[in-house]
Amino acid sequence: MGKILIVAEKPSQAREYAKTLGVKGKGNGYFQNDDYIITWCIGHLLELNRPEEYMDINKVGKKWGLHRLPILPPFKQFKHQVKASTKNQYTILTQLLNSTEVDRVICGTDADREGQLLFQEVWDLVQCTKPLKRLWVSSLTSEAILEGMKQLRTEGDVRGLAQAGYGRSYGDWDFGMNLTEGFSALFGSFDPIRKKPNVVSIGRVQTPTLALVVEREWEIEQFDPVQYCEVEAEFKASTGNYTGKWVVAPGESEGKSTSEGNLQNSNGPVHGLDRVRADAIAAKVKGKCGKVHSIEAKEVQEAHPLLFDLTSLTVAASKRFGMTAEQVLKTAQSLYEKKATTYPRTDCNFLPVDILPKLPSHLRALQIEPYKEWVEEALEKDLPKGKRVINEITAHHAIIPTTERISPEKLSPDEWKLWDMIVRRFLSVWFPPARYETTVVHTQVEGEYFRTRGKVLLDLGWKKITGDKSDEEETPKRRKGKSKNAESGVDGEDVNADFVTLPVLSMEEVVTLLEAMVKEKETKPPKRYTQGDLLKAMENAGKKVEDELLQQQLKGKGLGTVATRPAIIENLLERGYLLQDHRTLQPTEKGKELIRLIKEELPKAQLLVSAEMTGQMEFELAQVEQGKVELEIYMAQIEKAIIEILDELKAFEKKFGKRPLSLAPAKMKGNGNKAVSKKRTSTPEGKEEKKLPSQEMEDSAQSSVRISSTQPEVLGRCPLCSGDIIEGKKGYGCLNWRKGCTFVVWKTPICGKVLSPTQVKKLLKKGSTDLIKGFRSKSGKSFSAYLVWAEEGSAKLKFVFEKD
């Protein structure tokens, strides 16, 4: 009998297989003994060919253009080529597959769609016909590998997974290659800073992810804050002082008093009081006595959090340590390869029933400091069986520590941070809920009511494991609470809201109002995404889809997969669509213009910015994986969508010509992806050289002329000379600048706002913009106004307010 060839994904994985199976001999690119040969792939050894391989270049030319599109090879005719960087290992693997010494093959790559694909590409290209089995493991411990070798899956078991892998690969190629070339030919330009084309990259997952960030930015820009007031009072009781906040009478609807001075925004929720009503309440109760109207006390329980999947782990690490999505994935993968944790690329928060008998082994591996005491306590408890732990799983269960004893000192700082979080989360499922007593008190003064909330810890429960000991020394006797920021729950979440300290009170007790304060507040706009927030938004994109079947498919798989989402964010940063400002993400002008263009002018292409498109593709891929839909049908649907979008782009080009988008900003080295301005000339002393207005005008106009070869859009007629106004780098200028026309509207921010081309069009046509929201005064207050010409024939602008 010949040898069994096991193909791993990476050398580190192959070493673990060899160690477990006792394979000690080493060759060039493989391990071997009398029974096994173990080799590896180093990720994808093959890559899909460039579009030009399917074209008659002499006929269509080398220059990108819509005339060359579509390029849609039949799915059985896609061509692969060996990656130059992995050519040697590819040669070794193909020789071993064809070797007469080998009579059986086991695919041992990572147990997911992408792991299956990178093996399948080579297997199919070589056209190997030897018996094939699949090794499916969730950790690289010897115990898991040996168990996997006893339960090898057949080639038929993973045929659908392989087909889905091809579908993902071919579909993304079709979208990316066709639409990136199409959009770049129509909306790209030459980037003089980088001295290369400004490519408008389009992706099946990348573009709708960009849309999430852009739409959030628009919400922030268009947010109209509402000013409101709150009345806060301090009371003196026999056992101490406490504070309360004015509320409507208990039992009444908060919206009932709107006409009496409560403020309400356009969406309906009440935002406190107006100033007149707040002052009236404060004056009414000043110096008066009140009584305790009601005391409601109840016990609440806070269950342990779910076990980590990759997304929740990333969100937690991003919030606590500021780690990027790419850092978390890389570190989690390293922990997996070191046998410290189970498979990281999982979208599941649960464990299967069959793992229950093995959990004590996982616990015993953690009998080291600082976990030893908790492990011993957990080993005396029953195994966790609740649905928050044991439930239906997907391809892989939640991320937990393995049965391998780990030396923390051998982990890197980042590895230790993640491992510690995973260990504590795992241990917490053996412990009871955290228990609190919450108390809500309503104090009545002169017919007005003030609410006070108190909270006291009864039992830490699982929180003693996660390190949340902020209120460990609390005692139930005092009904003591904390200020808003005093206590953080698991992963930094605030669990105390507006709880304050409460003395012991009794019903109908008379209290003295010491002070009533009116506090001015303002509603806040939505926050920009952090990388962790964006991952969660990508995962939950199904919430924006009405179709229930698609919602179920998107649950946990929204835009992309847990394995691909970090790379998508990195691509958006690298390609100049997003900027990283400390921990938050914001879109560049290039990113905003692309999404605005698709949403406002390209109806067919709107599939590219919707969760529905990605949801439908994920749904169909799942059907392919389950053998319910043939790959040919899936690819036909993709090709149909691409052809419709390309036809729309061709019609746009015929009607409007080319329209370059903004360039991606330059990047500041060593400071994330912050934008930096282009350097200007300097004096010998290093001070910035000041240019005359005429020189700056010429710079702006020349910028417009330099891109005139790409047919910039004419925004309107010049008020001074009736020439064409187009967009330049620093402003909107007249093409007659060489003839002496000095008209230019600068892109300098006006109270925080920069005029868009659409707004300039309105100005030139009607003399006024639409109402613009979100201007900021010097005091920081937000306001809305129209912009109009300050005087006829002038480029100067002034505000006109709605009431005028």
Side-chain angles (χ1 to χ4, degrees), residues 231-264:
V231 181
E232 190 175 286
E234 183 178 0
F235 299 101
K236 181 179 181 181
S238 59
T239 55
N241 295 359
Y242 65 99
T243 60
K245 188 182 295 183
W246 181 89
V247 293
V248 297
E252 288 187 13
S253 168
E254 290 196 16
K256 188 174 179 180
S257 304
T258 301
S259 59
E260 300 177 10
N262 288 11
L263 296 180
Q264 195 167 5

Side-chain angles (χ1 to χ4, degrees), residues 674-709:
K674 290 184 180 179
V676 292
S677 60
K678 188 180 177 182
K679 291 182 179 179
R680 300 175 67 178
T681 55
S682 300
T683 62
E685 292 79 22
K687 294 181 180 179
E688 187 174 82
E689 182 181 336
K690 206 167 184 179
K691 293 187 178 181
L692 297 173
S694 59
Q695 289 176 301
E696 293 214 347
M697 171 62 213
E698 184 168 331
D699 286 346
S700 182
Q702 284 179 330
S703 295
S704 297
V705 172
R706 276 199 296 270
I707 63 171
S708 62
S709 60

Side-chain angles (χ1 to χ4, degrees), residues 430-691:
W430 266 269
F431 290 82
R435 296 190 300 114
Y436 295 90
E437 181 188 73
T438 61
T439 305
V440 179
V441 175
H442 282 91
T443 306
Q444 184 186 40
V445 186
E446 295 294 307
E448 303 293 344
Y449 292 86
F450 295 83
R451 182 178 63 197
T452 309
R453 301 191 226 213
K455 183 175 184 180
V456 60
L457 175 72
L458 300 176
D459 182 9
L460 267 173
W462 61 269
K463 287 195 172 186
K464 67 182 181 182
I465 309 299
T466 62
D468 184 359
K469 298 185 179 181
S470 56
D471 52 4
E472 190 173 7
E473 304 302 323
E474 306 278 344
T475 168
K477 296 178 182 178
R478 292 189 56 212
R479 282 191 186 143
K480 187 178 179 183
K482 285 185 168 286
S483 64
K484 182 173 181 180
N485 296 320
E487 181 185 342
S488 290
V490 65
D491 302 332
E493 293 179 5
D494 175 33
V495 295
N496 270 345
D498 58 353
F499 292 102
V500 298
T501 299
L502 262 177
V504 177
L505 300 171
S506 57
M507 287 289 292
E508 300 295 323
E509 179 179 350
V510 176
V511 296
T512 302
L513 191 146
L514 299 177
E515 185 180 9
M517 300 157 284
V518 176
K519 295 188 174 182
E520 291 187 350
K521 298 196 173 183
E522 183 180 87
T523 55
K524 303 296 182 185
K527 293 182 179 179
R528 287 192 174 105
Y529 286 113
T530 63
Q531 288 205 21
D533 294 335
L534 184 55
L535 284 176
K536 203 68 181 172
M538 293 170 75
E539 182 180 62
N540 295 332
K543 289 182 179 179
K544 296 185 178 181
V545 179
E546 294 180 3
D547 189 291
E548 290 184 358
L549 286 175
L550 290 180
Q551 283 182 353
Q552 291 303 311
Q553 186 60 27
L554 280 168
K555 188 177 180 182
K557 291 186 177 179
L559 300 177
T561 66
V562 289
T564 60
R565 287 171 195 144
I568 293 297
I569 296 174
E570 289 298 314
N571 285 342
L572 287 168
L573 290 164
E574 182 65 29
R575 291 166 182 173
Y577 287 125
L578 296 182
L579 294 174
Q580 180 93 37
D581 185 4
H582 299 291
R583 292 191 181 186
T584 62
L585 297 166
Q586 61 186 97
T588 63
E589 282 304 311
K590 178 182 178 180
K592 288 193 284 188
E593 285 181 17
L594 174 60
I595 301 304
R596 184 183 291 113
L597 172 74
I598 292 172
K599 280 183 165 289
E600 294 180 359
E601 302 188 60
L602 298 170
K604 296 289 186 185
Q606 287 187 26
L607 284 174
L608 295 171
V609 296
S610 72
E612 184 177 356
M613 179 207 71
T614 300
Q616 185 62 42
M617 292 185 71
E618 288 294 342
F619 178 80
E620 296 294 342
L621 271 178
Q623 298 287 296
V624 171
E625 187 171 326
Q626 295 163 23
K628 297 178 181 178
V629 172
E630 290 298 320
L631 180 56
E632 188 174 8
I633 296 174
Y634 171 76
M635 293 303 300
Q637 292 172 343
I638 287 179
E639 291 168 3
K640 181 175 180 290
I642 291 170
I643 290 170
E644 287 180 352
I645 295 171
L646 288 174
D647 287 344
E648 185 174 56
L649 294 180
K650 291 173 183 178
F652 186 98
E653 181 181 40
K654 188 174 181 180
K655 186 174 181 180
F656 301 108
K658 297 182 180 181
R659 185 191 297 176
L661 297 180
S662 292
L663 301 178
K667 293 179 181 177
M668 184 183 295
K669 290 185 179 179
N671 196 17
N673 287 282
K674 290 184 180 179
V676 292
S677 60
K678 188 180 177 182
K679 291 182 179 179
R680 300 175 67 178
T681 55
S682 300
T683 62
E685 292 79 22
K687 294 181 180 179
E688 187 174 82
E689 182 181 336
K690 206 167 184 179
K691 293 187 178 181

Side-chain angles (χ1 to χ4, degrees), residues 200-227:
V200 182
S201 174
I202 300 292
R204 178 180 68 93
V205 179
Q206 171 188 290
T207 307
T209 301
L210 172 61
L212 288 175
V213 183
V214 170
E215 286 163 0
R216 173 62 59 86
E217 193 70 16
W218 286 343
E219 288 176 24
I220 295 170
E221 290 174 355
Q222 296 167 10
F223 180 78
D224 194 4
V226 176
Q227 278 76 34

Side-chain angles (χ1 to χ4, degrees), residues 111-112 136 138 305-314 342-355 386-401 422 425-426 429 536 539-540 553-558 560-563 565:
D112 58 17
W136 195 273
S138 287
L306 299 180
L307 294 168
F308 281 125
D309 64 358
L310 181 59
T311 299
S312 58
L313 178 64
T314 305
T342 56
Y343 188 68
R345 291 175 168 86
T346 175
D347 60 356
C348 182
N349 301 98
F350 307 112
L351 298 175
V353 175
D354 60 11
I355 203 174
K387 289 187 177 181
R388 293 181 65 82
V389 182
I390 306 299
N391 211 323
E392 185 177 344
I393 69 166
T394 52
H396 293 280
H397 59 64
I399 305 170
I400 62 172
I422 293 166
R425 181 68 66 95
F426 174 67
V429 304
K536 203 68 181 172
E539 182 180 62
N540 295 332
Q553 186 60 27
L554 280 168
K555 188 177 180 182
K557 291 186 177 179
T561 66
V562 289
R565 287 171 195 144

Side-chain angles (χ1 to χ4, degrees), residues 785-800:
Y786 300 90
L787 285 174
V788 301
W789 301 122
E791 53 189 65
E792 191 174 348
S794 166
K796 293 182 179 179
L797 300 168
K798 68 177 182 179
F799 293 116
V800 171

